[in-house]
Amino acid sequence: MDAAVVGRLAQVPGAARTLERRGYDGCWTAEIDHDPFLPLTLAAEHTRRIDLGTSIAVAFARNPMTVAQIGWDLQEYSHGRILLGLGSQIKPHIERRFSMPWGAPVARMREFVAAMRAIWSCWRDDVPLRFEGDFYTHTLMTPMFVPAAHDHGDPAVFLAAVGDRMTEMCGEVADGLLAHAFSTERYLREVTLPTLTRGLERAGRQRADFEVASPLFVVTGRDEEELAAAAVGTRKQIAFYASTPAYRGVLDVHGWGELQTELHRLSRRGDWDLMGSLIDDAMLDTFAVVAPIDEVAQKILRRCAGAIDRVLIGFPETIGERDIIELTSTLRRGGS
């Protein structure tokens, strides 16, 4: 079981130590309102066991050389614990927020990963750097710019994917897939995993050699009042994602596609509270694990069984440390 580390850099050491003490397997950062890589340096310094990943860093806001170098340094410093999670983001953010080129995101991401691996091979195996693609070209590497060797291997590369083409390509070139929190169990099992399997088979790879990581909405508490309070924020999160046109396919699987149109209209007005109220109990139960604290671990295990290898969960602040340690222990054991 994994969790996210969010917030200011000064908060990261304590948060990462807490996750390790509570028995988590990994901590992830995200590129939202902070850089995704700087916190991992602090987390690496203040932990010894847990994996450290980005979920996600925006690939197309950078280039393969810069990400390869960050990944190499973090892998050495963490003694081989880095999960390099990359995502494409969407066109408006790439062009208008990052002022970077957009186009052919699946082909571009495939080439991004291949270019990084070529750079790492150059540094690790002392071979010439000769990568020439449609989007990226890396053919210069003088000795001054080659980092010192280390014995920790390349970082594992995880790619965020929702659509069929990105998911299939992920199965061909990546070490893991970062599923979206908005993926329901049905969508994951009926759409994502079969598509991923096609990519793995095309590359002659086995599912056992690949990890699927996914955040999971969890609504829990010690009584009905705490459950109801936890559900309010989760309904708003689900509504926010459901308003995005790119995620309509998930709703369509359940026959809820028309709701996306209405939620998108409300999102343009900034009517977030009303949007959350449109997520009824049936939708909440479909997108989230809803259960009291003494039942939630088993329900999470049933949701993940045979589908999700690494689950990222954030529990409500009302859940105490002792309960969280017990939950992480149960989930790591795979139940009782």
Side-chain angles (χ1 to χ4, degrees):
M1 186 171 80
D2 301 340
V5 172
V6 296
R8 296 176 177 174
L9 289 175
Q11 299 169 325
V12 171
R17 286 195 300 265
T18 296
L19 291 183
E20 188 161 74
R21 185 182 68 248
R22 289 176 173 177
Y24 283 87
D25 297 299
C27 72
W28 298 82
T29 60
E31 186 156 19
I32 304 174
D33 55 346
H34 293 281
D35 179 88
F37 294 113
L38 286 174
L40 294 188
T41 307
L42 291 171
E45 183 179 9
H46 292 275
T47 60
R48 294 293 177 266
R49 175 187 56 81
I50 56 176
D51 294 328
L52 309 168
T54 52
S55 181
I56 54 106
V58 180
F60 301 159
R62 300 170 172 84
N63 64 63
M65 183 63 71
T66 57
V67 178
Q69 191 161 51
I70 291 169
W72 182 274
D73 288 343
L74 285 172
Q75 183 76 337
E76 178 184 25
Y77 191 59
S78 69
H79 301 285
R81 293 186 281 148
I82 296 301
L83 309 175
L84 185 57
L86 304 175
S88 62
Q89 248 297 348
I90 58 175
K91 182 179 180 179
H93 282 270
I94 297 303
E95 291 188 338
R96 294 164 51 198
R97 183 155 69 100
F98 292 109
S99 190
M100 296 291 278
W102 173 268
V106 176
R108 188 184 295 267
M109 185 66 83
R110 178 194 294 273
E111 194 172 294
F112 195 105
V113 174
M116 280 199 312
R117 296 198 191 282
I119 293 165
W120 288 331
S121 178
C122 168
W123 294 341
R124 183 186 60 249
D125 304 323
D126 193 27
V127 297
L129 179 59
R130 292 173 180 164
F131 185 89
E132 297 185 64
D134 296 325
F135 307 99
Y136 304 104
T137 298
H138 300 279
T139 57
L140 177 64
M141 182 56 58
T142 53
M144 179 184 293
F145 298 103
V146 176
H150 61 70
D151 299 323
H152 303 296
D154 298 341
V157 177
F158 282 64
L159 297 181
V162 176
D164 286 355
R165 293 181 59 231
M166 189 71 80
T167 301
E168 192 167 337
M169 183 272 293
C170 181
E172 293 182 64
V173 306
D175 301 301
L177 178 141
L178 294 170
H180 201 285
F182 193 64
S183 298
T184 64
E185 180 179 8
R186 181 178 172 186
Y187 185 85
L188 195 65
R189 294 185 188 276
E190 294 183 6
V191 179
T192 300
L193 293 180
T195 305
L196 175 67
T197 298
R198 289 199 299 271
L200 289 168
E201 290 176 346
R202 179 175 293 114
R205 306 170 68 197
Q206 302 296 316
R207 174 68 175 86
D209 301 323
F210 188 94
E211 284 194 302
V212 173
S214 180
L216 193 61
F217 294 119
V218 172
V219 176
T220 192
R222 292 166 294 190
D223 52 39
E224 289 298 324
E225 184 178 352
E226 288 187 357
L227 276 164
V232 172
T234 303
R235 292 181 199 272
K236 289 182 181 180
Q237 283 185 289
I238 293 169
F240 169 75
Y241 287 128
S243 70
T244 305
Y247 302 148
R248 182 175 180 132
V250 180
L251 293 168
D252 284 337
V253 166
H254 297 274
W256 295 326
E258 290 305 314
L259 179 63
Q260 187 275 322
T261 303
E262 175 62 9
L263 289 171
H264 184 65
R265 183 183 68 82
L266 292 172
S267 72
R268 293 174 68 109
R269 287 171 27 188
D271 207 338
W272 308 111
D273 289 337
L274 180 56
M275 288 170 63
S277 72
L278 297 182
I279 306 302
D280 60 24
D281 288 345
M283 291 189 69
L284 182 66
D285 283 333
T286 298
F287 281 94
V289 170
V290 182
I293 191 68
D294 58 341
E295 299 175 16
V296 72
Q298 296 300 327
K299 198 166 183 180
I300 291 170
L301 287 168
R302 289 195 295 271
R303 174 72 68 93
C304 295
I308 298 172
D309 305 303
R310 305 187 69 110
V311 61
L312 192 155
I313 301 172
F315 291 109
E317 293 183 0
T318 54
I319 305 302
E321 170 122 341
R322 182 176 298 178
D323 285 328
I324 292 177
I325 290 174
E326 185 174 337
L327 286 167
T328 56
S329 178
T330 299
L331 290 170
R332 293 183 76 187
R333 293 195 314 266
S336 56

